[in-house]
Amino acid sequence: MKNILFIALLLLATAGFAAAQIGAAPSNDVLGAHLNYGRGCAACHAPHSGVYGNGNAKTADPTAGTVALWGEDLGSLYGKPLQIGSTNGTTGFAEVLPTSLMAGTPDVSGVLMCLSCHDGNYATGAMMKNKVYETLPATYGSGTIPTLLGNDNTGVGNYLNDHPVGLNAVMGCGGQYDWDCTIDGNGKVLMTGANSSKFVTNYGFFVSPGTYNAKPVVMCTTCHNQHLMNVVKVTTGAKSGLPSGNYATMFFIRAPYNPASGTAGSNQTAQFCRQCHGGEANESNGGTAVTTF
């Protein structure tokens, strides 16, 4: 009887593990939309002469291309102001973009470089069509998801309807809407509280905040891994209690995130947001639900 019970539990665990994982390797290239219609890595990283090597010979920036061999012209974005991520519909977070690739702040690679293609206001974007690349699940309806922050069909220059990013978008711990986490002297978020540690077990902490003045700050790259569009590798350990393996994702999200999941009641997309928005998580509100894929 004990052996039968053990086998049943083993089969149940194996079934849960299989359901959670992607099941098979992605059939399309993991770089996805950032293949740039076949041009590949060189569309962003010009291996010779940086931005000049991508045909942007008119740039006035002598440091162009010196960071990550960046091949897009950032000159039109330097020092530009953004009122981004409004919480009341009018003000938003006041941000000023770096004035140089050599500024040394996390928003150089975490925001500025992203906007050289994804702005559409100050920078029109290279090969951008302002449409999502992936096939959207039926639950999303028939609407087109825009990809340009500053020109998303709501009016050129409108950043108020975009998630806050930048040096002023500081992640917090211990507030009404935050986790019971702590921030160490280097600006690293430690998910060691009773609720936050339980969440890490139930889902994980995959986001990658930047650090500015010893505080964690939200960048575009906090939530997005620009090099992996459709898959994320998870290793069981301090960052996540999920079984190790490859998990489906979308939109370059750097965590398990699959709105196309066929599982009824799947909450993985909500779990992704809860990594930072801990006040709305199950663990902070007496709930016992774990991650359902």
Side-chain angles (χ1 to χ4, degrees), residues 84 106-107 109-115 118 149 163-166 208 210 217-226 252-254 272:
I84 189 167
D107 52 345
S109 59
V111 177
L112 183 68
M113 289 182 175
C114 303
L115 291 184
H118 287 275
L149 270 70
H163 193 287
V165 291
S208 180
V217 289
V218 180
M219 304 283 108
C220 303
T221 50
T222 296
C223 295
H224 301 280
N225 179 350
Q226 65 274 23
F252 295 92
I253 295 294
R254 58 169 65 244
F272 172 75

Side-chain angles (χ1 to χ4, degrees), residues 14-58:
T14 303
F17 176 79
Q21 289 192 70
I22 205 169
S27 58
N28 56 326
D29 196 280
V30 296
L31 193 56
H34 286 172
L35 279 170
N36 291 288
Y37 306 100
R39 192 177 179 196
C41 304
C44 291
H45 305 285
H48 300 289
S49 302
V51 65
Y52 299 97
N54 256 4
N56 297 299
K58 293 183 179 180

Side-chain angles (χ1 to χ4, degrees), residues 170-188:
V170 179
M171 292 179 61
C173 289
Q176 179 181 357
Y177 304 106
D178 304 321
W179 280 114
D180 55 349
C181 52
T182 57
I183 300 171
D184 70 12
N186 297 315
K188 182 180 180 181

Side-chain angles (χ1 to χ4, degrees), residues 171-220:
M171 292 179 61
C173 289
Q176 179 181 357
Y177 304 106
D178 304 321
W179 280 114
D180 55 349
C181 52
T182 57
I183 300 171
D184 70 12
N186 297 315
K188 182 180 180 181
V189 178
L190 305 176
M191 299 283 278
T192 53
N195 295 330
S196 56
S197 59
K198 187 182 298 184
F199 177 80
V200 170
T201 298
N202 292 338
Y203 180 70
F205 192 70
F206 302 96
V207 289
S208 180
T211 302
Y212 182 67
N213 286 340
K215 296 178 181 179
V217 289
V218 180
M219 304 283 108
C220 303

Side-chain angles (χ1 to χ4, degrees), residues 65-110:
T66 56
V67 176
L69 297 177
W70 198 248
E72 301 302 330
D73 188 358
L74 295 166
S76 61
L77 289 161
Y78 288 150
K80 292 296 189 296
L82 304 180
Q83 289 291 123
I84 189 167
S86 170
T87 54
N88 58 16
T90 56
T91 52
F93 288 75
E95 294 288 343
V96 177
L97 293 174
T99 58
S100 166
L101 268 175
M102 311 303 288
T105 51
D107 52 345
V108 171
S109 59

